[in-house]
Amino acid sequence: SSGINAEYGGIIDRTEPPENIAAAEVFEETGYRIGVDKLNLITRVVNGVGTSGERQHMFYTEVTDEQRETQGGGLAEEGEVVEVIEVARDEIEKFAFDESKPKPPGCILAIVWW
């Protein structure tokens, strides 16, 4: 089967291009191994305007079961605890606007873009 990866997080804390960091974060947090060449830039946005002013790079990729090498969940040695949630395509819009499921605004933007 195939799906959409709406991986949320990752800090640009090294000198690599954002695409390299995004591909590494997808693997660490979801277990899917993707090539940098498979990432498509959606947009760059600024979160926390007036406060933190952090820049977010948003990419799109599709994944298949064959690309999944681990269960994901983040890096334990970095104290990460990531819950991987799989949502059926016909339920994605409902998920996006379900206020009982916390998600950053960037996730909703990515879903609406898709």
Side-chain angles (χ1 to χ4, degrees):
S1 67
S2 64
I4 305 303
N5 181 0
E7 196 275 328
Y8 302 152
I11 297 172
I12 298 179
D13 57 357
R14 43 195 194 263
T15 58
E16 296 178 58
E19 295 83 356
N20 292 11
I21 295 170
E25 289 292 328
V26 167
F27 180 68
E28 291 171 9
E29 297 188 5
T30 69
Y32 289 95
R33 176 88 59 194
I34 59 166
V36 172
D37 61 322
K38 300 297 183 190
L39 288 170
N40 299 292
L41 181 67
I42 297 173
T43 191
R44 294 178 182 94
V45 297
V46 177
N47 287 324
V49 175
T51 57
S52 63
E54 58 202 31
R55 179 166 287 253
Q56 182 177 21
H57 303 259
M58 300 181 70
F59 297 96
Y60 170 83
T61 192
E62 294 187 13
V63 296
T64 65
D65 290 341
E66 290 75 35
Q67 291 171 275
R68 191 150 203 197
E69 296 181 11
T70 72
Q71 293 302 308
L75 298 177
E77 62 270 17
E78 293 183 8
E80 295 180 334
V81 179
V82 177
E83 180 182 5
V84 178
I85 300 171
E86 296 183 11
V87 180
R89 287 180 185 216
D90 61 346
E91 295 288 319
I92 196 71
E93 189 172 336
K94 181 179 174 185
F95 169 79
F97 298 101
D98 182 345
E99 294 178 6
S100 72
K101 298 190 176 25
K103 67 198 74 62
C107 177
I108 297 169
L109 174 62
I111 291 169
V112 170
W113 172 88
W114 178 68

